[in-house]
Amino acid sequence: SYELTQPPSVSVSPGQTASITCSGDKLGDKYVCWYQQKPGQSPVLVIYQDSKRPSGIPERFSGSNSGNTATLTISGTQAMDEADYYCQAWDSITYVVFGGGTKLTVL
Amino acid sequence: QVQLQESGPGLVKPSETLSLTCTVSGGSISNYYWSWIRQPPGKGLEWIAYIYYSGSTNYNPSLKSRVTISVDTSKNQFSLKLRSVTAADTAVYYCARVVRGSSPTYYFDYWGQGTLVTVSS
């Protein structure tokens, strides 16, 4: 089955750039999306089709995908960005696959 | 603005069947895929299944033998049944709208608030 791997945690200082990676076999051949989930809330789509932002998502959120790694980048990270982030892709055998999630700490 | 609302029992006994319904408001269930996703307490997201409004389905291979997803377009609802539950099925269950893009790709743009289902005697 297809698997996506994320680091369990990432830390960033306010105002700096946070990068969260998601790795999988030939992931660059697939589209990746990213969700933000704050405690007690439902996930929110922040990036789809590798690098597109839904309406209402701040420009500081961006994404890229190449080779075996997709990256969610948050520029000028704010305290409100502290959350869990999940990558997700679609595979023809496993269908929908989520990464294990990354806890972003802004300190 | 599309809204999704999960409903169903919050407590299910081991070996019984978990049944949930998602009611879609603010838009039609037609022309979209719809999905169930769950999240055990303190853990990550796990996709369960999705269904097209016409009734075609896809299931997580690891759950396929125990899961049925169905749709009722007349009520703008879709449902989940998970059979033979154990404590490992305790989770927050979310319903979500699926966007099917080219390539293909599937992602979730609207989510319900989630409902906690506990499996316990």
Side-chain angles (χ1 to χ4, degrees):
Chain A
S1 62
Y2 194 79
E3 296 183 356
L4 296 174
T5 301
Q6 299 179 235
S9 62
V10 168
S11 297
V12 63
S13 299
Q16 299 304 302
T17 297
S19 295
I20 299 172
T21 59
C22 173
S23 60
D25 184 47
K26 298 180 181 178
L27 185 58
D29 292 342
K30 307 178 188 300
Y31 276 129
V32 173
C33 62
W34 292 88
Y35 302 90
Q36 175 194 69
Q37 186 180 34
K38 297 181 179 179
Q41 298 184 17
S42 304
V44 173
L45 180 70
V46 294
I47 293 289
Y48 67 99
Q49 290 184 197
D50 293 344
S51 59
K52 297 181 179 180
R53 276 181 294 104
S55 174
I57 300 302
E59 290 184 6
R60 63 180 181 274
F61 288 87
S62 63
S64 63
N65 184 19
S66 179
N68 294 322
T69 303
T71 302
L72 173 69
T73 302
I74 309 172
S75 304
T77 307
Q78 301 182 9
M80 68 172 64
D81 300 328
E82 188 164 284
D84 293 328
Y85 290 85
Y86 294 90
C87 61
Q88 179 243 306
W90 187 87
D91 172 73
S92 61
I93 296 175
T94 316
Y95 303 119
V96 175
V97 183
F98 286 101
T102 298
K103 181 177 181 60
L104 177 67
T105 301
V106 182
L107 41 67
Chain B
Q1 178 82 344
V2 174
Q3 292 185 313
L4 297 90
Q5 179 67 58
E6 304 90 351
S7 59
L11 181 64
V12 181
K13 290 182 168 55
S15 79
E16 295 189 346
T17 296
L18 178 160
S19 296
L20 295 173
T21 296
C22 182
T23 301
V24 179
S25 59
S28 173
I29 205 166
S30 297
N31 301 313
Y32 280 97
Y33 288 83
W34 304 89
S35 187
W36 289 98
I37 298 148
R38 69 180 182 179
Q39 185 172 35
K43 296 188 178 181
L45 301 169
E46 180 181 32
W47 171 71
I48 301 171
Y50 60 70
I51 187 167
Y52 194 45
Y53 79 100
S54 62
S56 62
T57 59
N58 269 325
Y59 294 97
N60 184 325
S62 68
L63 297 169
K64 184 176 183 178
S65 64
R66 297 194 293 131
V67 174
T68 300
I69 188 171
S70 59
V71 64
D72 186 339
T73 55
S74 67
K75 295 181 179 179
N76 239 33
Q77 294 177 334
F78 63 104
S79 298
L80 173 73
K81 290 190 185 299
L82 178 63
R83 297 174 290 278
S84 304
V85 298
T86 69
D89 295 310
T90 293
V92 174
Y93 285 76
Y94 295 101
C95 59
R97 191 177 80 169
V98 186
V99 177
R100 184 186 189 279
S102 59
S103 183
T105 183
Y106 294 78
Y107 57 90
F108 310 101
D109 63 345
Y110 288 98
W111 295 64
Q113 66 184 26
T115 186
L116 175 62
V117 179
T118 302
V119 178
S120 175
S121 55

